[in-house]
Amino acid sequence: MDPNPNIHRQYRSFVTHLECSLTGERYEADRVHGLSRAGRPLLVRYDLEAMRGAVPRIAIQGRPTDMWRWRELLPVRDPKHIVSLGEIETPLVPIPRSGGTHVLVKDEGRLPTGSFKARGLVMAVSMARALGITRIAMPTNGNAGAALAAYASRCGIETIIFCPDDTPEINVREIAMQGARVWRVNGLIDDCGAIVGEGARQGRWFDFSTLKEPYRIEGKKTMGLELAAQLGWELPDAIFYPTGGGTGLIGMWKAFAELEALGWIGSKRPKMFAVQAAGCAPMVRAFEDGVEHAERWENAHTVAAGIRVPRAVGDFLILRAVRESGGRALAVEDNAILKAVDDTAKRDGLLMCPEGGATLAAYRNALAQGLVSEDDRIILFNCSTGLKYPMPEAPLWLDRTQPIDFDAL
Ligand SMILES: *Cc1c(COP(=O)(O)O)cnc(C)c1O
């Protein structure tokens, strides 16, 4: 039986090679790679010229809308390696009452494992499987570990996951439940990353840290591809993206370049707003200082666990995309994040995660500062279902054996 019935029989990737994001040095495709020799992320390259001649835009439009409709622009060569859990196209949900008339939330909480980490990890795990990797370790703030655990367990790859010991309880448990060995560590995500790096140097496992393997970014870039298709091949005016390691922002920026090279979109680009929490804003500081690399943010803290990333190996790629786009890196306070989550839930019925709330809070600030206008078409990213996060108590209780005061209900 075909394990992935949604994937058409005619399957072809136009992948040609990989390239160091800093030096442009070339690396062979279809090999196991970590970082480049310069210690930077590797980017996957495709023969866009050949694809331009072979695959018209309309061919994509005729396919099912899941992630695999973008197969030519993805690194998996043989669909038998795809470890799918049903990666659907996520909807654009208007939030007119809490956001504004032209504000749409791309709701990534609908993906397998409840977050957009599924996009990156389905690709990275499928490639690991294709390349014969059997043991993977990863540092995580929660959602990436959950997605890795799910996809890896599904194809028999062993996983060891390290998270800060104050990672939301539900994330730690979902990781364990989906078959990984998950360790709580008394440190932040980069401290966990150091353990993963040391184990990899000892040859114990393959290092799946953000951007330290080349394929997660290819999965994440499908957010940009999808956006283009959903908006009739005209990109929005601005995108607000909650930025930790920045995979999604870098991936979307790469996707837009690929789409333009194919002639599927024009040269218009959205302003990219990298949103961080005021308690952990290394990209905002680097952006404002006008530098290419961000220093580690000390004593990082925020309610938005997914963007509590003190240091990012792809810092220069995030900053370049933001600057080239005419956007900004913006920091928002935790109270504004929680207020935004509350407003969207109560007024528009959409329960976002705190990181999603951060994008609405940042949009509100950007609007007040005149960085965007009310007539602009805006995309906010809600990266995870709000159901994974602590919610305020709901303490009302009724004793049905006593007389009920219906006026008070
Ligand atoms: C991982 C994560 C982010 C940050 O995504 P990056 O692409 O790594 O910057 C934001 N929000 C949530 C909920 C996440 O899990």
Short mmCIF file of all heavy atoms in Angstrom, two decimals, residues 115-117 143-144 210 216 220 241-249 306-307 353 355 383-384 389, ligand 1:
data_model
loop_
_atom_site.label_atom_id
_atom_site.label_comp_id
_atom_site.label_asym_id
_atom_site.label_seq_id
_atom_site.Cartn_x
_atom_site.Cartn_y
_atom_site.Cartn_z
N SER A 115 2.33 22.55 16.02
CA SER A 115 3.16 23.74 15.79
C SER A 115 3.85 23.66 14.43
O SER A 115 3.95 22.59 13.83
CB SER A 115 4.22 23.91 16.88
OG SER A 115 5.40 23.20 16.55
N PHE A 116 4.36 24.80 13.99
CA PHE A 116 5.03 24.85 12.68
C PHE A 116 6.39 24.17 12.69
O PHE A 116 7.03 24.03 11.65
CB PHE A 116 5.12 26.26 12.14
CG PHE A 116 6.02 27.23 12.85
CD1 PHE A 116 6.80 26.89 13.94
CD2 PHE A 116 6.10 28.55 12.40
CE1 PHE A 116 7.63 27.81 14.57
CE2 PHE A 116 6.91 29.48 13.01
CZ PHE A 116 7.67 29.11 14.09
N LYS A 117 6.82 23.71 13.87
CA LYS A 117 8.05 22.93 13.90
C LYS A 117 7.87 21.66 13.06
O LYS A 117 8.85 21.10 12.57
CB LYS A 117 8.42 22.57 15.33
CG LYS A 117 8.86 23.75 16.19
CD LYS A 117 10.12 24.40 15.66
CE LYS A 117 10.78 25.37 16.64
NZ LYS A 117 9.96 26.52 17.01
N ASN A 143 8.53 22.79 21.31
CA ASN A 143 7.81 22.38 20.10
C ASN A 143 8.68 21.63 19.09
O ASN A 143 8.21 20.70 18.43
CB ASN A 143 7.16 23.58 19.43
CG ASN A 143 5.97 24.09 20.22
OD1 ASN A 143 5.24 23.31 20.83
ND2 ASN A 143 5.77 25.41 20.24
N ALA A 144 9.92 22.04 18.96
CA ALA A 144 10.80 21.35 18.00
C ALA A 144 11.04 19.92 18.47
O ALA A 144 11.02 18.97 17.67
CB ALA A 144 12.12 22.10 17.84
N THR A 210 18.81 23.80 15.62
CA THR A 210 18.33 24.75 14.62
C THR A 210 19.44 25.21 13.68
O THR A 210 20.47 25.70 14.14
CB THR A 210 17.75 26.00 15.32
OG1 THR A 210 16.75 25.55 16.22
CG2 THR A 210 17.14 26.97 14.33
N ARG A 216 15.80 21.57 7.73
CA ARG A 216 14.67 22.16 8.45
C ARG A 216 14.20 23.43 7.76
O ARG A 216 13.02 23.70 7.63
CB ARG A 216 15.09 22.49 9.87
CG ARG A 216 14.30 21.72 10.90
CD ARG A 216 15.06 21.74 12.20
NE ARG A 216 14.44 22.66 13.12
CZ ARG A 216 14.89 22.83 14.37
NH1 ARG A 216 15.93 22.15 14.80
NH2 ARG A 216 14.29 23.67 15.16
N LYS A 220 10.55 24.77 6.53
CA LYS A 220 9.97 26.02 7.01
C LYS A 220 9.68 27.00 5.87
O LYS A 220 8.78 27.83 5.95
CB LYS A 220 10.92 26.67 8.03
CG LYS A 220 10.80 26.09 9.45
CD LYS A 220 9.57 26.62 10.14
CE LYS A 220 9.64 26.55 11.64
NZ LYS A 220 10.42 27.56 12.31
N TYR A 241 6.95 38.00 12.31
CA TYR A 241 7.37 36.63 12.59
C TYR A 241 8.05 36.56 13.95
O TYR A 241 9.04 37.27 14.20
CB TYR A 241 8.34 36.17 11.50
CG TYR A 241 8.72 34.72 11.64
CD1 TYR A 241 7.87 33.72 11.18
CD2 TYR A 241 9.91 34.35 12.27
CE1 TYR A 241 8.21 32.38 11.34
CE2 TYR A 241 10.24 33.02 12.43
CZ TYR A 241 9.39 32.04 11.96
OH TYR A 241 9.72 30.72 12.13
N PRO A 242 7.55 35.70 14.85
CA PRO A 242 8.19 35.57 16.17
C PRO A 242 9.51 34.83 16.01
O PRO A 242 9.54 33.67 15.60
CB PRO A 242 7.19 34.75 16.97
CG PRO A 242 6.41 33.98 15.98
CD PRO A 242 6.43 34.75 14.68
N THR A 243 10.59 35.49 16.34
CA THR A 243 11.91 35.01 15.95
C THR A 243 12.72 34.47 17.10
O THR A 243 13.05 35.20 18.03
CB THR A 243 12.68 36.17 15.28
OG1 THR A 243 11.86 36.70 14.23
CG2 THR A 243 13.99 35.68 14.69
N GLY A 244 13.01 33.18 17.03
CA GLY A 244 13.95 32.56 17.95
C GLY A 244 15.22 32.29 17.18
O GLY A 244 16.06 33.16 17.00
N GLY A 245 15.33 31.06 16.65
CA GLY A 245 16.46 30.73 15.79
C GLY A 245 16.31 31.32 14.39
O GLY A 245 17.26 31.39 13.62
N GLY A 246 15.08 31.72 14.05
CA GLY A 246 14.86 32.45 12.80
C GLY A 246 14.67 31.59 11.56
O GLY A 246 14.59 32.12 10.45
N THR A 247 14.58 30.27 11.75
CA THR A 247 14.47 29.37 10.59
C THR A 247 13.35 29.78 9.63
O THR A 247 13.54 29.75 8.42
CB THR A 247 14.14 27.93 11.05
OG1 THR A 247 14.71 27.73 12.33
CG2 THR A 247 14.66 26.92 10.08
N GLY A 248 12.21 30.12 10.18
CA GLY A 248 11.06 30.44 9.34
C GLY A 248 11.26 31.73 8.57
O GLY A 248 10.91 31.82 7.39
N LEU A 249 11.82 32.72 9.23
CA LEU A 249 12.03 34.00 8.56
C LEU A 249 13.06 33.85 7.44
O LEU A 249 12.84 34.29 6.30
CB LEU A 249 12.48 35.03 9.60
CG LEU A 249 12.45 36.48 9.16
CD1 LEU A 249 12.11 37.38 10.34
CD2 LEU A 249 13.76 36.93 8.54
N GLY A 306 9.00 29.78 23.14
CA GLY A 306 9.51 29.43 21.81
C GLY A 306 10.49 30.44 21.24
O GLY A 306 11.26 30.12 20.32
N ILE A 307 10.46 31.66 21.75
CA ILE A 307 11.41 32.66 21.24
C ILE A 307 12.42 33.06 22.33
O ILE A 307 13.08 34.09 22.22
CB ILE A 307 10.69 33.90 20.65
CG1 ILE A 307 9.64 34.48 21.60
CG2 ILE A 307 10.03 33.53 19.33
CD1 ILE A 307 9.01 35.78 21.10
N CYS A 353 -0.86 31.09 20.64
CA CYS A 353 0.21 30.85 21.61
C CYS A 353 0.83 32.21 21.96
O CYS A 353 0.61 33.19 21.24
CB CYS A 353 1.25 29.91 21.01
SG CYS A 353 2.08 30.54 19.53
N GLU A 355 3.79 33.30 21.54
CA GLU A 355 4.64 33.79 20.45
C GLU A 355 3.78 34.44 19.36
O GLU A 355 4.16 35.44 18.76
CB GLU A 355 5.45 32.64 19.86
CG GLU A 355 6.44 32.00 20.83
CD GLU A 355 5.80 31.01 21.80
OE1 GLU A 355 4.57 30.77 21.72
OE2 GLU A 355 6.52 30.47 22.66
N CYS A 383 2.36 30.38 15.67
CA CYS A 383 3.21 29.23 15.32
C CYS A 383 2.81 27.95 16.00
O CYS A 383 3.32 26.89 15.66
CB CYS A 383 4.62 29.55 15.73
SG CYS A 383 5.05 31.15 15.15
N SER A 384 1.94 28.05 16.98
CA SER A 384 1.58 26.85 17.73
C SER A 384 0.14 27.02 18.22
O SER A 384 -0.35 28.14 18.35
CB SER A 384 2.53 26.72 18.92
OG SER A 384 1.98 25.87 19.90
N TYR A 389 -0.44 25.95 26.11
CA TYR A 389 0.13 26.90 27.05
C TYR A 389 -0.78 27.11 28.26
O TYR A 389 -1.99 26.92 28.15
CB TYR A 389 0.42 28.22 26.33
CG TYR A 389 1.44 27.99 25.26
CD1 TYR A 389 1.07 27.50 24.01
CD2 TYR A 389 2.80 28.15 25.52
CE1 TYR A 389 2.01 27.20 23.04
CE2 TYR A 389 3.74 27.86 24.56
CZ TYR A 389 3.35 27.38 23.32
OH TYR A 389 4.28 27.08 22.37
C1 LIG B 1 10.22 27.62 17.51
C2 LIG B 1 9.15 28.58 17.75
C3 LIG B 1 9.27 29.91 17.35
C4 LIG B 1 10.52 30.45 16.71
O1 LIG B 1 10.70 29.95 15.42
P1 LIG B 1 12.09 30.09 14.67
O2 LIG B 1 11.78 29.90 13.23
O3 LIG B 1 13.00 29.03 15.23
O4 LIG B 1 12.62 31.45 14.95
C5 LIG B 1 8.20 30.75 17.59
N1 LIG B 1 7.08 30.32 18.17
C6 LIG B 1 6.90 29.04 18.55
C7 LIG B 1 5.62 28.62 19.18
C8 LIG B 1 7.93 28.11 18.35
O5 LIG B 1 7.77 26.84 18.74
#
